[in-house]
Amino acid sequence: ALARRLLHDPAIDTADRAAGLLVLLYAQPLTRICQLTTGHVLSSQDGGVQLILGPKPLDLPPPLGGIVLDLAGNRRGHAVIGHTDDHPWLFPGGFPGHSLQPGRLAQRLKRLQIPPRASRNTALMELAADMPAKVLSDLLGISISSAVDWARQAGNTRPGYAAEIARRHR
């Protein structure tokens, strides 16, 4: 319900929508979200949008891709003195040339009833249950050992299944 609201409610600030969706759908920590730059956003001729979170770009679905492209094209810093829009940050902060601080982003998300840590853990658990640890690591930019731990906690038996099949064929 939270993700649906962020995807479809234009009354919510675009930066908050994008950040909230990155937490809810892709389990991104606030520190990583705050460090994203426009260079992490890739758009293709066919209208597709990719976001680089790990070694391999992640294809964003059309509603989220549009939100991220809108954010990349219309981002504004919040500095009152020394205001500049000449910066690389996807989420600019209150000091000219600096990114948004994770603590400030956490406050903004909490106002939307999105608890960052719990939401990230829930998303990681869901993703780890549905995909192999290597894919999780490559797409989300988490270490392979962390991805394996999350997969194990989520009950993802793919690694054990592959090992069992290999033993049967010997």
Side-chain angles (χ1 to χ4, degrees):
L2 287 172
R4 199 172 7 264
R5 180 173 163 232
L6 292 174
L7 283 169
H8 302 292
D9 188 349
I12 300 172
D13 182 81
T14 303
D16 294 343
R17 292 172 71 193
L21 288 164
L22 290 175
V23 171
L24 292 169
L25 301 178
Y26 298 106
Q28 291 302 293
L30 300 186
T31 52
R32 181 170 296 147
I33 291 171
C34 289
Q35 294 303 305
L36 289 174
T37 66
T38 55
H40 289 97
V41 180
L42 308 172
S43 60
S44 62
Q45 299 289 347
D46 65 355
V49 179
Q50 293 181 316
L51 186 63
I52 300 172
L53 298 174
K56 296 181 181 176
L58 176 69
D59 291 322
L60 298 178
L64 178 55
I67 292 168
V68 170
L69 272 183
D70 184 38
L71 177 62
N74 300 306
R75 65 200 194 291
R76 298 263 184 242
H78 301 283
V80 176
I81 298 174
H83 181 74
T84 178
D85 293 326
D86 184 24
H87 55 77
W89 306 113
L90 200 55
F91 297 91
F95 295 108
H98 289 79
S99 67
L100 185 64
Q101 295 299 307
R104 179 70 181 117
L105 181 56
Q107 291 173 345
R108 291 170 63 164
L109 293 179
K110 286 176 185 174
R111 269 193 262 128
L112 296 170
Q113 278 72 53
I114 300 171
R117 184 173 304 222
S119 298
R120 178 176 185 262
N121 289 346
T122 300
L124 260 173
M125 189 66 73
E126 292 288 326
L127 292 168
D130 291 338
M131 64 180 67
K134 176 66 174 145
V135 174
L136 187 67
S137 173
D138 286 348
L139 291 178
L140 302 185
I142 62 175
S143 71
I144 188 66
S145 61
S146 179
V148 167
D149 288 345
W150 277 100
R152 190 175 303 121
Q153 289 178 27
N156 185 335
T157 59
R158 283 185 178 95
Y161 177 75
E164 179 63 30
I165 294 298
R167 280 192 291 274
R168 285 185 203 164
H169 288 289
R170 280 191 234 154

